[in-house]
Amino acid sequence: AECAADAARVKEAHGEAPGLAVVLVGSRKDSETYVRSKKKACAEAGIESFSADLPEDVSEEELLEVVRGFNADPRVHGILVQL
């Protein structure tokens, strides 16, 4: 509830909701569950969520390129990388 109120204040002050990008590397069930819970929490709190699912064998450069892309997106205010 507190997080939702904060997100609403940010949206009112800046004209857009806060945004969280989640990058999931691989297909571990526990990581998938964790990422799903973060997306659900974002939805409940009024925070936009963005995601990218990458294969376990992704190169470091490919991963960094995805992170750079989210970093350059003005809608994204935080990035979570789950390995």
Side-chain angles (χ1 to χ4, degrees):
E2 184 179 330
C3 196
D6 289 343
R9 279 192 293 275
V10 168
K11 185 173 184 174
E12 186 174 319
H14 300 283
E16 66 182 16
L20 175 67
V22 179
V23 181
L24 176 62
V25 178
S27 57
R28 287 182 45 164
K29 294 298 178 200
D30 56 341
S31 291
E32 290 173 346
T33 300
Y34 179 73
V35 166
R36 226 178 4 262
S37 74
K38 294 301 147 198
K39 290 179 183 178
K40 181 179 178 196
C42 283
E44 291 171 357
I47 297 171
E48 280 194 74
S49 66
F50 308 90
S51 63
D53 296 340
L54 302 174
E56 188 173 319
D57 62 351
V58 67
S59 71
E60 181 178 350
E61 187 53 41
E62 290 170 314
L63 172 58
L64 289 173
E65 191 59 35
V66 170
V67 171
R68 285 186 200 105
F70 281 133
N71 195 43
D73 187 334
R75 301 170 301 160
V76 175
H77 301 95
I79 302 170
L80 173 95
V81 177
Q82 180 68 31
L83 302 173

